[in-house]
Amino acid sequence: MSQFPQADNRMSVRVIGAISIGLLALSVHSLAEEQPASSLAIFQQRISPILNSPAKSSCTQCHLSGVELKDYIGDSQEETFASLRAAGMIDPAHPEDSKILKFIERSLEKSTPIVEKTRKQEYEAFKAWIVAASKDTKLVSLAAESDQLGPSVPVQVIRHTRLDHIVQSFRESIWSEMGRCVNCHSPELNRKMVGRNGHTQEDIDAISWIVPRDPASTLQQLFDTGNIDINDPQSSAVLTKPVGLEEHGGGPKFALGSNTDKNFRRFLSDYAAAIKGEYKQTDQLPIQVTDLIAETGQHLRIIELSNELDGKLLRVDIYSQTDAGLSADRVATAENPVNGNQGQWQSSIYAVAKRGSQTAEKLVVDQPLATGRYVAKIFVDRNDHAKENRDYELGESDYLGQVDFSGEWKIGFREPKIVSLASVRD
């Protein structure tokens, strides 16, 4: 005889049946969860949204223009896979080592949590899709169409607008001249201004756009603080104030038409064009300057100048002198307006080296010219051509003469090398 009443037996059967059905449903659900998603589903759910999103991808952290992750995504997974494989960006045999994954992984040393989160999502989405798609024999066997996915601009444009190239250009064009700006705009030096002429700490912080020893962050700071105007680069405050076209508490720092003026204008126009994606062809890219400069910390002063030269732009090109003669190229240069009231001219000296030369590789800021024999060739813009045309280059018609000098050459504004115009020779 059963230990349980008949009604209890029927209830037991129903309970056991319900448990069995529940276990079966859980089993089916578990199998469904373990079933890997198809490559098509991954593409539609994780890759296509990147193509259709108005947001910038992590590519823009290193590329100011010319490259976007969506450039590598087509309207279908077939088009995308075939094109990327044909371009060598996908390796079906080793999908996790595909080149496009390595590209996505690339990051700057200094990155932000938001960018890194975006990069991680992009990487995981592409990795999941490529791994799944590489198992699909139909996808792997597809032939790519003639029009490949990817950037629409030439590789030279891509390299030119890459952030590391832009920062290097900033180093050469503006950062190399920071000796003109550090006293007021570097937080390491401008604290002494607090309290002077009513300046508060907030006032000083507002003009502290130099990040010491960090040109990349300084460039970003100039942009963030509005000192660079990418819509009208020639009106950027970082140019108009030191060149004297706009009120500047520190006064003019370089002259219109000077080499410094040319370098600032050249960089600002290039930077704005890169950010706005204006470069489409290689012939639109600016020509690189051949001479690189670095401040030596030394100063040169020319005395006994006529007051008729007051305000005239004067450039000195310095050549080293040996028993074999003058160096083939100038080793240093300097430019500044003449102070005719005092009958003199003075300027910081900038070492010069040809791009790509061994000397250029060793060109560093605050490395003085060695004690030795030099010849200074002097050019003066007597007719103010550079003020009328800021692209004007002083040449033979502006040549004044040259001065020989030698001996110890100390560092600093207060101990310049002094030469007299009276000793100028043709």
Side-chain angles (χ1 to χ4, degrees):
M1 174 180 267
S2 174
Q3 298 177 345
F4 303 103
Q6 186 67 34
D8 289 343
N9 287 341
R10 287 195 299 270
M11 182 177 290
S12 298
V13 171
R14 287 197 298 269
V15 170
I16 292 172
I19 292 174
S20 299
I21 293 172
L23 290 173
L24 179 61
L26 288 172
S27 177
V28 171
H29 180 67
S30 178
L31 287 172
E33 285 186 332
E34 293 176 2
Q35 183 71 25
S38 69
S39 62
L40 178 58
I42 297 172
F43 184 86
Q44 292 173 337
Q45 295 168 10
R46 303 178 68 178
I47 305 298
S48 289
I50 297 175
L51 173 64
N52 299 319
S53 173
K56 297 288 187 180
S57 71
S58 63
C59 295
T60 57
Q61 184 187 38
C62 298
H63 297 274
L64 298 190
S65 61
V67 177
E68 254 289 5
L69 190 56
K70 61 185 63 179
D71 295 337
Y72 296 92
I73 304 172
D75 293 330
S76 67
Q77 79 155 338
E78 289 79 10
E79 176 192 6
T80 306
F81 189 90
S83 180
L84 292 181
R85 185 192 177 193
M89 301 292 285
I90 287 179
D91 181 359
H94 306 91
E96 294 185 1
D97 293 330
S98 293
K99 186 181 293 186
I100 193 168
L101 295 180
K102 298 182 185 300
F103 283 174
I104 296 172
E105 274 188 309
R106 290 179 181 174
S107 179
L108 296 179
E109 183 178 344
K110 293 182 178 180
S111 190
T112 65
I114 293 176
V115 171
E116 289 311 305
K117 180 180 179 180
T118 300
R119 189 187 316 282
K120 184 174 184 291
Q121 292 172 340
E122 293 166 350
Y123 178 85
E124 291 178 348
F126 265 85
K127 180 181 176 182
W129 173 65
I130 292 172
V131 169
S134 295
K135 297 175 182 178
D136 188 327
T137 55
K138 289 183 179 180
L139 277 178
V140 173
S141 63
L142 284 175
E145 299 292 335
S146 57
D147 293 331
Q148 299 293 304
L149 295 174
S152 59
V153 297
V155 66
Q156 294 91 336
V157 172
I158 293 174
R159 289 171 180 165
H160 183 84
T161 57
R162 214 169 55 194
L163 183 59
D164 58 347
H165 181 275
I166 294 293
V167 170
Q168 181 59 33
S169 178
F170 176 75
R171 283 175 177 270
E172 297 170 1
S173 303
I174 295 182
W175 184 259
S176 60
E177 305 265 13
M178 281 297 97
R180 303 175 186 272
C181 310
V182 289
N183 285 333
C184 294
H185 297 290
S186 172
E188 290 186 331
L189 298 175
N190 62 15
R191 299 307 176 199
K192 61 183 181 293
M193 296 169 60
V194 176
R196 293 183 185 176
N197 300 318
H199 291 310
T200 66
Q201 184 65 56
E202 290 74 19
D203 295 332
I204 301 307
D205 289 341
I207 64 171
S208 297
W209 48 258
I210 291 177
V211 181
R213 296 168 293 282
D214 192 340
S217 295
T218 298
L219 174 58
Q220 186 64 49
Q221 184 80 344
L222 281 168
F223 178 81
D224 291 343
T225 55
N227 281 292
I228 293 180
D229 184 349
I230 63 169
N231 294 315
D232 187 5
Q234 301 304 303
S235 295
S236 296
V238 72
L239 169 66
T240 57
K241 288 187 175 183
V243 83
L245 293 176
E246 188 178 346
E247 180 64 30
H248 183 219
K253 293 299 180 182
F254 51 87
L256 282 171
S258 64
N259 190 59
T260 303
D261 179 31
K262 292 180 178 68
N263 283 338
F264 272 52
R265 289 189 294 115
R266 185 184 299 112
F267 172 79
L268 291 169
S269 293
D270 184 32
Y271 181 59
I275 287 182
K276 293 190 290 184
E278 293 180 350
Y279 294 131
K280 305 299 182 184
Q281 302 295 333
T282 55
D283 60 5
Q284 295 175 312
L285 299 177
I287 298 173
Q288 277 191 322
V289 295
T290 57
D291 287 350
L292 305 179
I293 64 170
E295 193 169 11
T296 65
Q298 295 158 310
H299 284 249
L300 179 67
R301 179 184 297 169
I302 302 175
I303 59 174
E304 299 186 77
L305 290 166
S306 168
N307 58 11
E308 293 179 357
L309 298 178
D310 185 37
K312 304 299 182 182
L313 179 62
L314 184 150
R315 188 186 82 220
V316 173
D317 289 336
I318 300 174
Y319 295 78
S320 62
Q321 187 176 33
T322 65
D323 292 339
L326 294 183
S327 57
D329 299 311
R330 58 182 183 169
V331 298
T333 191
E335 273 183 317
N336 253 340
V338 173
N339 186 335
N341 293 329
Q342 297 182 9
Q344 68 180 31
W345 169 95
Q346 182 165 328
S347 177
S348 299
I349 297 300
Y350 292 84
V352 179
K354 294 293 182 185
R355 183 183 298 279
S357 67
Q358 291 184 349
T359 307
E361 295 176 1
K362 302 175 183 178
L363 196 65
V364 295
V365 174
D366 295 333
Q367 180 174 299
L369 298 180
T371 298
R373 295 157 54 198
Y374 295 96
V375 171
K377 294 187 177 183
I378 305 171
F379 301 82
V380 179
D381 185 12
R382 300 177 184 86
N383 298 311
D384 293 330
H385 292 306
K387 289 181 180 178
E388 298 171 5
N389 174 15
R390 291 164 73 180
D391 293 322
Y392 178 78
E393 295 283 355
L394 274 68
E396 291 303 316
S397 64
D398 304 298
Y399 183 66
L400 180 65
Q402 62 186 48
V403 179
D404 299 349
F405 64 93
S406 60
E408 185 181 9
W409 195 346
K410 296 181 179 179
I411 300 295
F413 173 83
R414 299 184 184 279
E415 297 190 84
K417 171 67 69 174
I418 300 176
V419 298
S420 172
L421 190 67
S423 60
V424 165
R425 59 185 174 85
D426 294 336

